[in-house]
Amino acid sequence: MANQYFYKPENALKRANELSAIGNEKGALQVLHDVLTAKKSRTWVKVLESIMLKYIDIAVDLKLHRHAKDGLHQYRNISQQQAPQSLEAIIQHLLKAGESRVAKAAKEARSMNLGKGKAVADLECEQTPEAIMLSTMTDEGDGDRSEREVLVPWLKFLWETYRSVLDILKTNSKLEKVYHQTAQRAFEFCVQHERKTEMRRLCETLRHHLSNLQRATAQGNTNRLRGWEGWTQEGIELHLATRFAQLEAASAQELWTEGFRTVEDIHQVMRISKKPPKAKLMAKYYERLTKIFWVSGNYLFHAYAWWRHAQLAKESQKRPPPVEDQIQMACSVLLSALAIPDASDGAPDEQGLGQSGDPDDVDAEKMARMATLLGFRGHPTRAALLAEIAADDELVDVFGHDLPAHVRALHEALENTFAPRKLAGTVAPLLKELKEATPRLAHYAEPLARVAVSRVVAQLGRVYSVVTLDNFEQLVAPLSVPADDVEKLIVGAAGGPGGGASSGGALARVDHRLGVLRFPEEPQAAPASRHLGDLARYVAEAAQAARDHKPEEMRDPERAAKRARLFEMARAASARDHESALERKQVIERRKEEQERLMAEKKAAEDAEERRLEAERKKEEEARLEREAKRREREKLEKMRAELQVQEAKEQMKALGKDVGDEIINMKEEERQKLIKDQRDKQRKAEQNEAKKMLEQSKRLDYITRALRLEELPVLEARYAKRLEEDRARHDAQYVESVEKGKVDHAAALLEKKRLARVQSHREKWEAGVLAARKAAYVKARADAEQQHKEEAIARKVARARRRREDYLDDLERARAEDEERAYEAAADALRAEEERAWEAQQAERREAEEAQRREEEEKRAAEIARHRAEAERLRAERAAEAEAADAQERERRQAADGPSDWRRGGARPDDGP
């Protein structure tokens, strides 16, 4: 129960220490809480910090995180404006206390688990019956139970402490560093203790805080956020550092969804900043993204993240890294780009974003959004990335050192080799060498094998229209890719824009009934000229080799003639095949043009119909809005007229002394007037009755008062005389008693003086001895004190000289640091001044626009008020005219009821005499 009186802060602290000493911790906590919540403690003083430290210690000892949070809120209200450094010290003390208790509990839990081995008396029977029964009821072991009993309560307390501190400091610009330090300590807590659920909640809390700040800034209403002074460059850098730590913690706990959401948060913070982040910081950021994208299977953005990391690392490093690290990074960049899944050899739309032709492709939109968040220009593609890498001296010397031979051979085989029947055999040993020679890059072997399979299928489709499955399996067997995965790659079901095999359909169709692999016809039409050129080149090379080399069997004339006929038939067939291919290409082009024309016509017709329907809808909507506006105007005028009438009736009734509610709203005007007249008559009668009643009561009161005074006068006189006699007798008795008591006391004092007169001389001698001893002790103590003072003075002089020497050296170092800081601040001030000038110009434009809008709104409001006043005047004039007309009708009615007059001007009345 709260105390009903207020403690002074000093007395409250003393009282709390006393209660703690006797074990009443809750009572001490209540005393300190009463001081913090009292209205007289709204002004910060130094003693309040000591009170808060004691309050925090007691709350931590009792594991009362709610009380600790309440105390922090109260102390925040007291010290936020006057002593923010004190609030920072309190928060740091609370966090340190909670973390130390968690570490101590973890150590205790481990020691309990280790001590259980010593408690086993018989190694042949290491489990007790109780342990066996518990194991049948739960899956937890002894270690889990010990941890739950000892460690988990402190983990919960520390987690609630982090949440409370973040909630208190979420809008405090003066303690923004403490806020971000607390967030990073909370990340370390989640990683160290593997708290994935708390990690998600923490990320959501920080995201909510950031959105509130952005919303308030966008609305221009930062005043409602207590302690928030707006965005600064230092604050933005702190937010970025915190989000990078969040990304690292999410990656360490394998929370990839939170990692992607953190990337969005980082993008939002970067949009607030007017300066780009430091290259070193962004290099670490992209290095973390490489792992996230690799685990998520998004090889495209994994490769782009490696490429951006390499560029930023090269910019941020003042000294070149070791040769091994440079080669490792170069290999990672190249192999990650090669590992991006590819649908066809040289297809122009491979791995593009939004290139599938489907405007509702959710994956394409997601990938485009991710590209925007990561700052990639346009639609990142595999071909574009390889072109950028190749532009850097063809990747022979990416960072100043040669790449390994097997890496260059992989690039050459996958990108520049057209050998569908030999490609798998060429790539397989290179992948094996990649795993053995560079173990850190071995994880690229599997996606590179899949890319090689896609290359084999695409190149086979350029040469053949049908291939048997047995032959195809023999071709890709060296790559050791599972048959199911190969089939998924063939039919294009293994991915999409981020990690699939194709974005434009299946590479081929698998016909299991006939055991063949059929390639589509249309994809070969686009590169047909290139395929025919390759085929012609191969035929020419073969013919030249045949002319240059004639084996023994070619010297036989019969075989030579037969071979010549075969070559003649091949030459004749090649011309026909060439013409057939050209005709086929023309047919395909005509079909494509016809299909495009039909699609364009259909789209144009749909657009025209949509525009017509939209115009009709717009016209109907405008007509409806106009009708609604007129109806609302009529209803508004009628409502105003009724409200004016009701208000006037209420004011009249109130003036007559009666408050009426809303019951008169539904009355007619005649009923309202009758009600007002009745109330006037009733008020007049009530006033008359009240005046008459008051007059009668005043007369009766006068009579009663006079009679009472006449009757009580003799009684009062007799009572006074009796009390006077009693007081005189009491005074005489008390006087006699005091005189007698004084005589007795005087006689006793004389006897005591006579008894003590014998020891007077001994007292003086004893006093002299005591004073001499005390004087000697004083002289000795004074000499010792003077000697100690001299020694302390010498020690102080020596310490002062040393301190001055240290201060001199510190001043020199501080002056040097201040010179550097001033130079940095001068550059920063110049940049800040330029930004402030731009901001002030924007603010001036915004204020001018707001002022113009405000003047326009005021003019509209004034016009509306004038119109309402004119309407009210018109209604009053109409009521006045109606009242005058009613009076005229009443006069005419009365004249008609009295009848015609019997006398004329100048004549005599009937009752006049003759």
Side-chain angles (χ1 to χ4, degrees), residues 4 21 85 223 429 506 524 584 683 760 870:
Q4 299 300 321
Q85 69 279 1
N223 295 328
Q524 284 110 6
R584 186 164 172 266
Q683 184 181 12
Q760 184 67 21

Side-chain angles (χ1 to χ4, degrees), residues 760-898:
Q760 184 67 21
S761 59
H762 299 288
R763 181 183 67 81
E764 293 175 354
K765 186 184 298 185
W766 178 79
E767 285 182 354
V770 171
L771 290 176
R774 289 185 178 179
K775 185 175 181 180
Y778 168 73
V779 170
K780 184 178 182 302
R782 181 176 180 178
D784 295 341
E786 289 178 353
Q787 181 64 27
Q788 183 179 1
H789 176 70
K790 291 179 181 179
E791 294 175 356
E792 291 178 353
I794 294 173
R796 284 197 299 271
K797 288 181 181 179
V798 174
R800 185 163 57 250
R802 291 177 179 174
R803 188 169 59 254
R804 287 177 178 175
R805 172 66 177 174
E806 293 175 356
D807 292 342
Y808 172 72
L809 296 177
D810 292 342
D811 291 340
L812 290 179
E813 181 64 22
R814 191 180 301 108
R816 185 185 63 78
E818 288 177 354
D819 292 340
E820 294 179 357
E821 185 68 20
R822 279 195 294 273
Y824 176 77
E825 289 293 335
D829 290 341
L831 182 59
R832 192 181 301 111
E834 183 66 25
E835 295 176 352
E836 289 178 354
R837 284 195 295 272
W839 182 80
E840 289 176 356
Q842 294 177 358
Q843 292 295 109
E845 294 177 358
R846 184 179 62 80
R847 285 195 295 271
E848 291 178 359
E850 291 178 353
E851 184 66 21
Q853 184 178 2
R854 186 182 61 80
R855 287 197 297 269
E856 183 179 357
E857 291 178 353
E858 288 180 353
E859 292 175 358
K860 291 182 179 179
R861 193 180 301 110
E864 185 72 14
I865 293 172
R867 188 170 62 83
H868 290 171
R869 288 178 178 174
E871 182 66 20
E873 291 294 334
R874 185 179 64 80
L875 293 175
R876 291 194 187 94
E878 289 179 357
R879 284 199 297 274
E882 291 176 357
E884 291 178 358
D887 292 342
Q889 292 177 2
E890 182 66 19
R891 286 195 298 272
E892 292 176 358
R893 185 181 63 78
R894 291 178 180 175
Q895 291 177 2
D898 293 343

Side-chain angles (χ1 to χ4, degrees), residues 83-286:
Q85 69 279 1
S86 178
L87 178 60
E88 178 181 356
I90 295 299
I91 291 174
Q92 296 291 357
H93 179 74
L94 174 60
L95 294 177
K96 186 177 180 181
E99 291 170 352
S100 63
R101 293 303 180 90
V102 168
K104 183 178 178 182
K107 185 177 180 181
E108 182 179 353
R110 289 193 296 269
S111 63
M112 289 175 62
N113 293 332
L114 293 175
K116 290 182 183 299
K118 300 179 181 179
V120 178
D122 185 3
L123 295 179
E124 296 294 333
C125 183
E126 60 183 26
Q127 285 191 340
T128 62
E130 294 81 359
I132 296 174
M133 293 181 66
L134 282 175
S135 64
T136 60
M137 301 297 295
T138 178
D139 293 335
E140 291 183 345
D142 293 340
D144 296 334
R145 285 193 292 273
S146 301
E147 185 172 325
R148 187 180 69 241
E149 295 172 358
V150 178
L151 181 59
V152 171
W154 284 113
L155 290 178
K156 182 179 180 182
F157 178 85
L158 183 57
W159 165 245
E160 294 295 338
T161 301
Y162 286 136
R163 291 181 59 184
S164 302
V165 172
L166 291 175
D167 183 66
I168 289 173
L169 301 180
K170 62 184 177 183
T171 59
N172 194 326
S173 296
K174 296 180 180 179
L175 299 179
E176 194 168 10
K177 290 184 179 179
V178 182
Y179 172 83
H180 292 287
Q181 290 173 2
T182 305
Q184 294 181 16
R185 291 167 80 166
F187 292 143
E188 295 175 0
F189 163 81
C190 294
V191 174
Q192 181 180 359
H193 300 284
E194 299 179 359
R195 310 304 303 176
K196 294 187 178 182
T197 303
E198 283 74 15
M199 181 66 188
R200 295 189 186 95
R201 292 174 181 170
L202 178 60
C203 295
E204 191 62 33
T205 299
L206 296 178
R207 194 170 295 115
H208 181 65
H209 292 172
L210 178 62
S211 64
N212 287 341
L213 296 180
Q214 289 179 316
R215 190 182 304 111
T217 305
Q219 296 174 356
N221 187 18
T222 58
N223 295 328
R224 68 183 183 87
L225 299 178
R226 183 171 56 180
W228 174 247
E229 299 176 358
W231 291 104
T232 61
Q233 188 62 33
E234 182 182 4
I236 294 173
E237 291 180 358
L238 289 174
H239 274 281
L240 279 177
T242 301
R243 291 319 184 277
F244 289 151
Q246 177 179 333
L247 181 61
E248 185 173 356
S251 302
Q253 293 185 285
E254 299 182 355
L255 298 176
W256 309 118
T257 302
E258 285 299 331
F260 280 110
R261 298 183 70 184
T262 304
V263 172
E264 296 181 359
D265 296 340
I266 293 173
H267 177 69
Q268 292 182 4
V269 177
M270 288 182 180
R271 291 178 59 187
I272 301 173
S273 176
K274 297 180 181 179
K275 293 182 180 179
K278 297 180 181 179
K280 186 175 182 180
L281 196 62
M282 293 303 296
K284 293 182 179 179
Y285 167 58
Y286 280 106

Side-chain angles (χ1 to χ4, degrees), residues 258-539:
E258 285 299 331
F260 280 110
R261 298 183 70 184
T262 304
V263 172
E264 296 181 359
D265 296 340
I266 293 173
H267 177 69
Q268 292 182 4
V269 177
M270 288 182 180
R271 291 178 59 187
I272 301 173
S273 176
K274 297 180 181 179
K275 293 182 180 179
K278 297 180 181 179
K280 186 175 182 180
L281 196 62
M282 293 303 296
K284 293 182 179 179
Y285 167 58
Y286 280 106
E287 184 180 10
R288 183 61 57 184
L289 287 182
T290 58
K291 184 177 180 181
I292 293 177
F293 288 132
W294 178 262
V295 174
S296 65
N298 195 323
Y299 300 137
L300 175 64
F301 285 126
H302 170 76
Y304 267 90
W306 263 119
W307 176 243
R308 290 291 297 153
H309 169 65
Q311 291 177 327
L312 293 170
K314 189 176 180 180
E315 295 175 4
S316 62
Q317 291 174 350
K318 296 181 180 179
R319 298 179 181 178
V323 177
E324 293 79 5
D325 295 343
Q326 296 182 23
I327 295 176
Q328 176 72 21
M329 187 178 298
C331 293
S332 299
V333 172
L334 180 58
L335 292 177
S336 62
L338 293 177
I340 301 174
D342 186 13
S344 60
D345 190 12
D349 60 345
E350 55 193 12
Q351 286 298 312
L353 298 182
Q355 303 295 326
S356 61
D358 185 4
D360 298 327
D361 191 352
V362 178
D363 291 337
E365 293 179 1
K366 186 185 298 183
M367 299 301 291
R369 180 165 169 263
M370 183 61 68
T372 303
L373 293 179
L374 297 177
F376 297 143
R377 299 184 300 274
H379 297 311
T381 61
R382 183 180 190 274
L385 178 58
L386 288 173
E388 290 183 8
I389 297 175
D392 195 355
D393 201 8
E394 297 294 337
L395 202 62
V396 174
D397 194 6
V398 177
F399 286 100
H401 299 278
D402 292 337
L403 293 173
H406 60 276
V407 175
R408 292 199 304 272
L410 271 174
H411 175 261
E412 182 67 22
L414 293 176
E415 297 301 316
N416 301 322
T417 301
F418 185 85
R421 303 188 67 84
K422 300 179 180 180
L423 182 60
T426 303
V427 172
L430 296 176
L431 295 179
K432 183 178 180 181
E433 186 178 359
L434 177 67
K435 294 179 182 179
E436 297 174 353
T438 52
R440 295 170 61 183
L441 303 175
H443 57 281
Y444 288 112
E446 183 178 352
L448 288 174
R450 294 173 181 271
V451 172
V453 171
S454 300
R455 289 293 192 192
V456 170
V457 175
Q459 293 180 9
L460 287 174
R462 295 180 182 179
V463 181
Y464 303 100
S465 59
V466 178
V467 175
T468 61
L469 289 178
D470 296 337
N471 188 12
F472 175 72
E473 291 174 358
Q474 293 177 1
L475 292 177
V476 299
L479 297 174
S480 301
V481 179
D484 294 341
D485 294 345
V486 171
E487 187 169 348
K488 290 179 182 179
L489 289 171
I490 292 173
V491 300
S502 175
S503 61
L507 296 174
R509 289 188 299 111
V510 180
D511 190 345
H512 289 285
R513 184 173 60 84
L514 299 178
V516 296
L517 187 66
R518 299 182 184 276
F519 298 97
E521 297 180 357
E522 292 188 3
Q524 284 110 6
S529 59
R530 188 175 63 182
H531 299 167
L532 293 176
D534 294 341
L535 183 60
R537 179 166 52 84
Y538 296 151
V539 172

Side-chain angles (χ1 to χ4, degrees), residues 597-614:
R597 184 182 63 78
L598 293 176
M599 292 295 293
E601 292 178 356
K602 182 179 179 182
K603 189 175 185 305
E606 291 176 353
D607 292 343
E609 181 66 17
E610 184 67 23
R611 287 194 298 271
R612 184 183 65 80
L613 295 176
E614 184 64 25

